């Protein structure tokens, strides 16, 4: 009889009433629960809970009963406001799915290469075809967001920390400081909270932030440090605190306001200090640490071009509450911004692997600072001569105007390759581009990189497990016959394939320097290698794994909020990707910033000098960082290019189709239809093993764009460039900056 009753109870539970999706989200957010916490409690995927809250899917037994019970309990604690128009009309942003005061726990790019980048504090936005928004336009002053309702404002911080949240940072990692129409200074925090700010000057604003605002973010790892609070100053706040709304041309070039500015004098009188970068778009105001206590506040000034439009879109023009939401989602899923996306990505590497840690107690019970295993340490190391960029101090004895060739210089870069179309391809109607999601992040996943200084070895035996740079001749590798499995070889048309060993796809002509993944691929293709010499790193590890995981999870979580889940069927995925940016433009900004963080931080591993009176052969500022590691950058790019070539070979062996053009992580094929499904070999919904697979995960591909074959031929003929790289223009068909070699 008890079994019969159990079945009856289960049948009733299978129809447990559920509130509408918006109410589900409101109840979870009201209790400070994250999607990950609910998913873990119900033993389902995070994307599943996100689908329930968006209304795309409904829970099924046995999870439905447990989910209904959870919502029922929360509804008792947080009844809906009868005066509210809808259950979702709360101070919390509609799709912010992470607890504001706590970083999200780890779960789980576009057709351009990882270039050497420059520090955020001196970077200016590049001109684009459309004029940048005028700095003085302030939609925040005319259109007040709903989060500025009196009920959302507080004069004192009285938030109760959610379970697991750090009570020191209950108001989140950052605030956007603005002035309302009544002249009141307000701090817009994540989650819609607005604080009244009593500070009358910038020094008092810094004091208030550290003593009362309860802003900040817990450290990313055990030996690390908590993130300093971030204040974003709107134009109205700049005026209130005596700062210029925009920088002059001279100040913009210098990257800071003059040291004699009255606000800087106020800070000096109050015994606050500025870092060497001075008071610029990303200023840091601090006092020397007292023991383990830090006193530091980071400023972000959008009207001074702190938020580069190439990476943050029009975020700098958003209303304060909307900007707080965008930066808050980024901070909770990646980390609190410390500068440009490139600077922040590099800081994330260090935050996950701090250079030092506390030692075990000595005989007197005292702990000391010691090297943290798995980190790059606190002191920079010299690169190998072949890894050094032109102008490096290691190369100062080279003759002036000497151009290093492949036998002297490691040149691992992303693809920029194209070829003329065959007659058969010209009979097809379309050119279809596919793009690898976060390709460089995928290339970093699981990659063993050097942690210490290189060791020079003569006539070494190649070891694929040993990171380093190898001088080896790979000109004998013939792509017309390659190994594709154990004792299995395949015949290919090498004239239609790029070489995997050079960015331009040209076959090597003799000895050249390569990173370990490139040489390992030559062995994988079935060919012997005999290096002449190498610079190897015996101290090594998977330094980038945590960095990759954090950025992957941030990307997947944000895309899930935009309606693109990791487990979608190929056709559904393509449909979901078509208009994902329009579903929530603010979260689309976060996605772009996450992708820029990947590429920018890898570029900063080989940051080049930026003026400042630098001369070739002299050191520049970036060389003093332990994270100046051109060998790590080269290894990631090498592995990314090899991963792409491996998929291209698998595809060619199985289908007989060859790419027409490749630019970094974008590959173009001629096809009879307009969709990637018209040439990708899916069978029963399953992709070719080892080939291209549609999906949102890093390393999988999405649709980049489709153009007519006639368009491609017409463009090449118009510019007299038979090998014009069509992958550069496949997205929208607009052709600019054509270089036909003349």
């Amino acid at each position: 009889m008890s079994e019969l009753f159990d079945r009856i109870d289960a049948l009733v539970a299978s129809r447990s009433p559920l509130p509408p999706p918006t109410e589900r989200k409101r109840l979870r957010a009201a209790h400070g629960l994250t999607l990950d916490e609910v998913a873990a409690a119900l033993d389902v995927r995070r994307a599943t809970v996100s689908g329930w809250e968006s209304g795309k899917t409904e829970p099924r037994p046995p999870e439905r009963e447990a989910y209904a019970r959870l919502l029922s309990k929360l509804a008792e604690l947080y009844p809906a406001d009868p005066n509210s128009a809808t259950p979702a009309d709360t101070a919390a942003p509609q799709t912010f799915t992470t607890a504001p005061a706590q970083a999200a726990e780890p779960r789980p790019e576009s057709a351009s290469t990882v270039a050497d980048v420059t520090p955020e504090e001196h970077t200016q936005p590049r001109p684009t075809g459309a004029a940048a928004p005028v700095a003085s336009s302030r939609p925040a002053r005319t259109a007040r967001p709903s989060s500025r309702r009196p009920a959302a404002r507080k004069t004192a911080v009285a938030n109760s920390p959610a379970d697991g949240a750090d009570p020191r940072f209950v108001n989140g990692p950052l605030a956007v400081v603005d002035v309302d129409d009544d002249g009141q200074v307000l701090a817009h925090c994540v989650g819609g909270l607005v604080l009244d700010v009593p500070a009358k000057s910038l020094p008092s604003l810094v004091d208030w932030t550290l003593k009362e605002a309860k802003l900040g973010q817990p450290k990313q790892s055990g030996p690390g440090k908590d993130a300093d609070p971030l204040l974003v100053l709107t134009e109205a706040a700049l005026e209130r605190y005596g700062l210029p709304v925009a920088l002059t041309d001279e100040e913009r070039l210098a990257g800071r306001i003059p040291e004699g500015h009255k606000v800087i004098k106020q800070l000096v009188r109050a015994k606050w200090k500025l870092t060497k970068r001075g008071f610029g778009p990303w200023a840091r105001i601090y006092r020397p640490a007292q023991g383990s206590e830090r006193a530091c506040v980071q400023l972000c000034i959008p009207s001074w071009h702190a938020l580069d439009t190439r990476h943050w879109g029009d975020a700098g023009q958003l209303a304060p509450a909307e900007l707080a939401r965008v930066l808050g989602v980024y901070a909770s899923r990646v980390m609190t911004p410390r500068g440009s996306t490139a600077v922040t990505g590099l800081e994330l590497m260090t935050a996950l692997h701090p250079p030092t840690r506390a030692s075990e107690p000595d005989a007197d019970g005292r702990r000391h600072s010691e090297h943290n295993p798995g980190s790059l340490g606190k002191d920079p190391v010299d690169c190998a001569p072949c890894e050094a960029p032109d102008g490096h101090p290691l190369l100062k004895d080279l003759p002036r105007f000497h151009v290093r060739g492949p036998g002297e210089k490691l040149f691992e870069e992303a693809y920029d390759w194209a070829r003329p179309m065959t007659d058969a391809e010209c009979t097809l109607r379309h050119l279809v581009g596919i793009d690898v999601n976060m390709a460089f992040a995928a290339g970093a996943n699981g990659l063993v990189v050097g942690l210490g200084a290189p060791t020079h070895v003569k006539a070494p035996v190649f070891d694929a497990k040993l990171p380093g740079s190898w001088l080896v001749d790979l000109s004998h590798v013939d792509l017309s016959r390659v190994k594709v499995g154990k004792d299995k070889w395949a015949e290919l048309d090498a004239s239609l394939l790029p070489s995997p060993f050079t960015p331009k796809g040209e076959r090597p002509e003799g000895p050249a320097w390569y990173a370990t993944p490139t040489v390992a691929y030559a062995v994988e293709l079935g060919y012997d290698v005999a290096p002449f010499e190498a610079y190897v790193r015996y101290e090594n590890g998977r330094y980038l794994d945590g960095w990759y995981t954090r950025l992957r999870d941030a990307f997947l979580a944000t895309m899930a909020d935009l309606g693109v889940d990791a487990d979608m069927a190929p056709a559904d995925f393509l449909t979901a990707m078509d208009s994902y940016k329009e579903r929530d433009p603010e979260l689309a900004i976060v996605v772009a910033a996450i992708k820029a963080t990947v590429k920018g931080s890898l570029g900063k591993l080989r940051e080049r000098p930026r003026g400042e009176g630098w001369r070739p052969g002299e050191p520049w500022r970036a060389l003093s960082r332990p994270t100046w590691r051109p060998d790590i950058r080269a290894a990631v790019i090498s592995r990314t290019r090899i991963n792409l070539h491996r998929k291209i070979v698998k595809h060619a062996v199985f289908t007989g189709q060859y790419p027409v053009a490749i630019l970094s992580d974008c590959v173009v094929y001629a096809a009879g239809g307009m969709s990637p499904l018209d040439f990708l070999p899916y069978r029963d919904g399953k992709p070719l093993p080892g080939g291209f697979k549609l999906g949102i995960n890093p390393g999988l591909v999405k649709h980049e764009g489709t153009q007519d074959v006639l368009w491609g031929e017409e463009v090449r003929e118009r510019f007299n460039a038979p090998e014009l790289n069509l992958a550069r223009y496949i997205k929208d068909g607009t052709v600019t900056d054509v270089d036909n070699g003349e």
Side-chain angles (χ1 to χ4, degrees):
M1 184 65 70
S2 62
E3 292 180 2
L4 178 60
F5 287 167
D6 289 342
R7 291 198 297 271
I8 295 299
D9 290 342
L11 182 62
V12 173
S14 69
R15 299 295 187 271
S16 297
L18 293 171
T22 52
E23 177 67 357
R24 303 169 197 174
K25 183 177 296 184
R26 184 194 73 81
L27 291 171
R28 176 182 57 76
H31 200 60
L33 298 175
T34 67
L35 285 174
D36 295 297
E37 290 172 328
V38 175
L42 298 175
D43 197 23
V44 296
R45 296 176 59 253
R46 182 186 189 282
T48 302
V49 181
S50 178
W52 296 343
E53 291 188 352
S54 67
K56 291 192 304 178
T57 58
E58 287 294 317
R60 293 180 294 182
E63 292 83 13
R64 184 184 179 96
E65 179 186 16
Y67 188 50
R69 182 179 178 85
L70 169 66
L71 296 176
S72 175
K73 295 291 186 182
L74 294 178
E76 294 175 6
L77 296 173
Y78 309 98
D81 183 357
N83 298 321
S84 177
T86 65
D89 184 20
T90 68
Q94 290 186 349
T95 54
F96 184 74
T97 55
T98 306
Q102 181 181 18
E105 291 298 321
R107 200 182 56 85
E109 152 179 70
S110 74
S112 61
T113 187
V114 181
D116 301 331
V117 295
T118 55
E120 167 75 1
E121 56 271 24
H122 299 303
T123 300
Q124 301 301 323
R126 295 176 182 170
T128 59
V134 179
S136 61
S137 64
R138 297 190 62 253
R141 298 298 298 271
T142 57
R144 291 299 173 191
S146 61
S147 60
R148 192 172 280 181
R149 296 193 307 271
R153 288 176 54 172
K154 296 178 181 292
T155 55
V157 181
N159 272 3
S160 298
D163 293 342
D166 194 315
R168 298 171 299 165
F169 311 131
V170 294
N171 291 327
L174 55 90
V176 179
V177 180
D178 189 32
V179 182
D180 67 10
D181 294 331
D182 298 326
Q184 172 64 44
V185 181
L186 303 174
H188 295 259
C189 306
V190 297
L193 175 69
V194 181
L195 305 176
D196 287 323
V197 180
K200 304 298 184 183
S201 66
L202 192 64
S204 60
L205 176 65
V206 175
D207 276 321
W208 173 83
T209 302
L210 293 172
K211 295 176 181 178
E212 301 180 41
K214 293 193 175 182
L215 297 172
Q217 190 175 41
K219 58 190 177 182
Q220 299 276 356
S221 66
K225 299 176 181 178
D226 296 328
D228 299 316
L230 172 66
L231 295 182
V232 184
L233 303 183
T234 67
E235 293 177 21
L238 293 173
E239 293 173 353
R240 169 61 61 90
Y241 292 118
L243 291 164
V245 170
L247 298 179
T248 65
D249 291 342
E250 184 179 352
E251 291 168 344
R252 190 163 54 250
L253 288 173
R256 66 187 74 187
I257 59 176
E259 293 185 7
H261 194 280
K262 63 178 182 180
V263 173
I264 296 182
K265 291 180 179 179
Q266 292 174 3
L267 292 170
V268 171
R269 286 196 296 270
K271 301 189 184 310
W272 289 106
K273 297 179 179 292
L274 293 166
T275 57
K276 291 182 180 180
R277 76 176 72 173
F279 203 123
W282 289 94
R284 294 184 68 77
I285 303 173
Y286 73 99
R287 285 182 180 139
Q290 300 295 325
S292 61
E293 293 296 321
R294 290 168 56 85
C296 183
V297 172
Q298 172 92 53
L299 299 184
C300 167
I301 306 178
S303 67
W304 294 7
H305 301 300
L307 300 175
D308 192 328
T309 55
R310 292 170 296 170
H311 309 141
W312 288 101
D314 62 354
Q317 304 301 315
L318 294 175
E322 296 164 349
L323 181 56
R325 178 192 178 220
V326 168
L327 294 177
V329 174
Y330 180 89
S332 68
R333 292 177 177 174
V334 180
M335 69 179 299
T336 304
R338 294 285 302 271
S340 69
T341 51
V343 169
T344 302
L346 207 63
E347 291 286 344
L348 179 62
M349 294 182 192
T350 303
L352 293 168
H353 292 284
T356 59
R357 67 178 184 182
S359 68
E360 293 297 324
D362 59 18
D364 298 325
R366 297 179 179 178
R367 296 179 183 270
H368 307 276
S369 177
E370 66 177 12
H371 174 70
N372 183 28
S375 75
L376 298 181
K378 62 179 182 179
D379 299 315
V381 297
D382 281 336
C383 61
C386 63
E387 298 163 351
D390 294 338
H392 192 279
L394 289 175
L395 310 175
K396 63 182 178 180
D397 294 331
L398 288 178
R400 192 178 183 187
F401 305 122
H402 175 74
V403 178
R404 294 184 295 161
E408 300 172 280
K409 179 181 180 180
L410 177 70
F411 192 66
E412 294 283 10
E413 299 294 342
Y415 269 130
D416 185 355
W417 169 88
R419 62 169 176 83
M421 283 185 276
T422 65
D423 292 342
E425 288 168 340
C426 288
T427 64
L428 300 174
R429 297 188 61 183
H430 301 288
L431 295 172
V432 183
I434 53 177
D435 181 80
V436 181
N437 295 314
M438 296 182 68
F440 295 105
N445 182 29
L447 178 64
V448 177
V449 300
L451 301 177
T455 300
H456 189 214
V457 183
K458 287 285 190 179
V461 176
F462 176 69
D463 184 351
K465 297 180 180 179
L466 193 59
S469 301
W470 309 78
L471 180 62
V472 59
D473 189 351
L474 300 181
S475 60
H476 63 291
V477 177
D478 184 5
L479 293 181
S480 63
R481 186 172 185 271
V482 297
K483 195 173 184 180
V484 293
K486 186 177 181 180
D487 301 325
K488 184 179 179 181
W489 293 75
E491 304 290 336
L492 296 171
D493 188 342
S495 66
L496 302 179
L497 282 173
S499 167
F501 309 126
T502 61
K504 291 293 185 180
E506 301 162 343
R507 186 168 179 170
E509 296 180 351
W513 286 98
Y514 303 101
T516 297
T518 301
V519 185
Y521 187 55
V523 176
E524 179 184 326
L525 292 175
Y527 293 86
D528 295 328
V529 297
F532 300 99
E533 58 179 305
Y535 288 90
V536 297
R537 288 170 169 80
Y538 294 109
E539 182 187 355
N540 54 65
R542 292 169 57 160
Y543 174 73
L544 296 174
D545 274 10
W547 174 86
Y548 161 78
T549 300
R550 181 78 176 171
L551 290 166
R552 176 203 64 190
D553 293 349
F555 176 69
L556 292 180
T558 311
M559 289 303 296
D561 287 341
L562 286 164
V564 185
D565 294 329
D567 54 357
M568 283 182 158
D572 294 338
F573 167 72
L574 292 174
T575 301
M577 286 295 294
D578 277 344
S579 57
Y580 79 91
K581 293 182 180 180
E582 285 71 34
R583 293 184 198 120
D584 192 327
E586 293 171 16
L587 286 185
I589 292 174
V590 178
V591 170
I594 293 170
K595 293 193 288 187
T597 302
V598 172
K599 297 171 75 170
S601 52
L602 291 174
K604 282 191 74 69
L605 292 171
R606 198 188 68 165
E607 184 180 345
R608 304 299 300 276
R610 296 198 69 261
E612 301 175 342
W614 175 81
R615 291 174 175 270
E618 296 177 350
W620 57 92
R621 185 168 55 178
L623 299 186
S624 63
R625 294 194 324 250
T627 49
W628 192 84
R629 293 297 300 271
D631 57 299
I632 296 179
R633 172 187 178 274
V636 172
I637 295 176
S638 164
R639 191 163 186 244
T640 302
R641 193 183 67 245
I642 294 306
N643 285 347
L644 185 60
H645 195 275
R646 185 182 292 112
K647 288 180 171 64
I648 290 170
V649 168
K650 291 277 188 182
H651 187 84
V653 170
F654 190 80
T655 67
Q657 298 169 334
Y658 295 84
V660 171
I662 310 172
L663 183 66
S664 186
D665 45 14
C666 176
V667 187
V668 176
Y669 283 90
M674 300 182 65
S675 166
L677 290 174
D678 290 316
F679 71 92
L680 293 181
Y682 273 81
R683 288 188 175 179
D684 299 325
K686 296 182 179 180
L688 171 68
F692 295 109
K693 178 182 178 181
L694 290 166
I696 198 58
N697 279 290
L700 305 188
V701 300
K702 65 179 184 295
H703 184 204
E704 180 69 5
T706 296
Q707 303 296 330
D708 294 337
V709 166
L710 292 178
W711 163 86
E713 289 297 277
E714 187 274 331
V715 166
R716 286 177 165 178
E717 182 177 347
R718 185 190 344 150
F719 292 100
N720 191 26
E723 295 184 2
L724 178 70
N725 195 332
L726 300 175
R728 191 182 304 276
Y729 317 108
I730 195 70
K731 189 165 190 173
D732 60 8
T734 303
V735 181
T736 58
D737 302 326
V738 170
D739 180 6
N740 60 7
E742 297 181 0

